[in-house]
Amino acid sequence: MGQRKIVVLGTGGTLAGTSASPGDNIGYKAAQVGIAQLLAGIPALQGVPTESEQVAQVDSKDMTFAIWRALASRCAHWLAQEDVAGIVITHGTDTIEETSFFLQEVLAPTKPVALTCAMRPSTAISPDGPQNIVDAVAVASSAQARGVTVVCAGVIHDARDVAKVHNWRLDPFSSADEGPVGYVEEGKLRMVREWPPAAPRPPLLARVEAAQEWPRVEIVFSHAGARGDTVQSLAAQGVRGIVVAATGNGSVHDALLPALRAAQARQVKVLRATRCAEGGIIAKPGDEFPATNLSPVKARIKLMLELL
Ligand code: SIN
């Protein structure tokens, strides 16, 4: 077989955004330029066999389950093709940590799926999107790579660990204590730890594809002045799960506890995740509700998939 191709799935984001003036890096509209046009404007990709598909065109703050389902299906379709080395997904930075975690949980692919993004729109004086795409293509082309990663500003992050920690820097992500998986340096990969694990998970994909409605799971913050009626109202609306963004090592405001107990007694799954940006809850004897060391937004996805 000749050189295998890279499939680039477009979903929008700032990378595909435009602004009225080239000097404006914040007053732009995301998700305006098609993926084929974006790729055509990157000379470094000439000679690299690519195929593109526009799966969605959204500002990622507006991400939906329907887009996630379509993305998972299209990834599974392309990953099964022998002539495909890997997939690149262009995405907004705002929820890339959620989409990448969702895809890793559902697909855990043996081939690489590299999500990438930009902090400046495509019309900027110096847009960061084209280099990020080139770096993501380098990851997706690597014979060693596997699993779902986020590639931005030359850094490769594991989907499980990555979080957006800055609202305007060109390198807005952190993998906290775990650190990055590696770096892309002038097209070469320098690895510092293992790729995300690969495991065939066809039943989960089938459930995602079949789901008409996804189980509703909400996040409740434990904060000064927290009120139990927030939980009561969610339980009355029929939520299937509540992730408590808990303080410190998983502690929960006393005012929330009776309502959480009552919700749990009504079969609502309650899961604690720390609201601290780094670290994870260390369980201890006497803990009342189960805990995870995922961030609250990722814990929510994990619980939703468990409830599917
Ligand atoms: C988005 O997440 O779609 C907009 C913001 C960004 O890509 O940085």
Side-chain angles (χ1 to χ4, degrees):
M1 196 191 306
Q3 197 183 354
R4 294 189 302 164
K5 70 182 168 195
I6 303 300
V7 174
V8 186
L9 305 179
T11 72
T14 294
L15 182 143
T18 54
S19 63
S21 126
D24 188 356
N25 287 328
I26 55 170
Y28 59 87
K29 199 161 166 38
Q32 301 302 301
V33 186
I35 189 63
Q37 189 181 333
L38 288 166
L39 293 178
I42 306 177
L45 290 181
Q46 271 170 22
V48 179
T50 56
E51 176 161 347
S52 68
E53 191 177 304
Q54 194 79 49
V55 176
Q57 187 65 296
V58 288
D59 185 322
S60 81
K61 72 179 173 59
D62 302 321
M63 188 49 62
T64 64
F65 296 142
I67 296 174
W68 276 1
R69 184 194 294 124
L71 257 184
S73 290
R74 295 315 291 156
C75 284
H77 165 83
W78 287 114
L79 289 169
Q81 316 292 318
E82 252 192 70
D83 64 339
V84 172
I87 294 177
V88 168
I89 300 174
T90 58
H91 197 289
T93 59
D94 285 341
T95 59
I96 200 169
E97 69 204 65
E98 293 178 55
T99 301
S100 57
F101 178 73
F102 165 78
L103 291 174
Q104 174 64 21
E105 286 296 298
V106 172
L107 302 169
T110 49
K111 290 181 185 175
V113 175
L115 282 83
T116 194
C117 50
M119 290 298 285
R120 291 180 182 156
S122 66
T123 48
I125 296 169
S126 172
D128 52 330
Q131 183 64 53
N132 285 343
I133 292 179
V134 170
D135 289 347
V137 167
V139 171
S141 309
S142 161
Q144 277 74 48
R146 62 156 197 262
V148 184
T149 53
V150 170
V151 180
C152 182
V155 187
I156 310 167
H157 299 270
D158 186 316
R160 188 183 157 94
D161 305 315
V162 68
K164 185 171 177 180
V165 295
H166 203 280
N167 62 321
W168 53 262
R169 276 191 201 138
L170 294 186
D171 184 3
F173 298 107
S174 166
S175 286
D177 290 351
E178 304 303 328
V181 171
Y183 301 92
V184 188
E185 297 169 343
E186 289 298 297
K188 303 240 176 328
L189 309 194
R190 178 166 64 86
M191 303 307 295
V192 291
R193 62 185 183 97
E194 283 294 298
W195 293 100
R201 298 188 175 165
L204 196 45
L205 176 63
R207 281 203 293 259
V208 164
E209 287 177 326
Q212 297 303 315
E213 258 190 63
W214 292 37
R216 182 167 168 207
V217 176
E218 296 289 346
I219 300 171
V220 172
F221 251 79
S222 185
H223 53 74
R227 291 170 45 145
D229 52 10
T230 311
V231 173
Q232 285 160 355
S233 153
L234 288 172
Q237 288 172 52
V239 290
R240 303 268 315 280
I242 294 176
V243 171
V244 185
T247 36
N249 191 38
S251 51
V252 179
H253 198 299
D254 271 351
L256 292 176
L257 289 173
L260 288 170
R261 286 181 196 124
Q264 200 174 45
R266 289 172 59 179
Q267 309 307 322
V268 177
K269 294 266 182 219
V270 177
L271 181 62
R272 290 172 302 133
T274 181
R275 52 177 237 186
C276 293
E278 298 193 14
I281 296 176
I282 303 169
K284 58 183 190 321
D287 276 350
E288 201 174 345
F289 301 103
T292 174
N293 58 10
L294 293 167
S295 67
V297 287
K298 290 180 187 176
R300 176 179 167 271
I301 294 167
K302 182 100 180 157
L303 188 49
M304 219 163 47
L305 290 173
E306 270 169 31
L307 288 166
L308 257 189

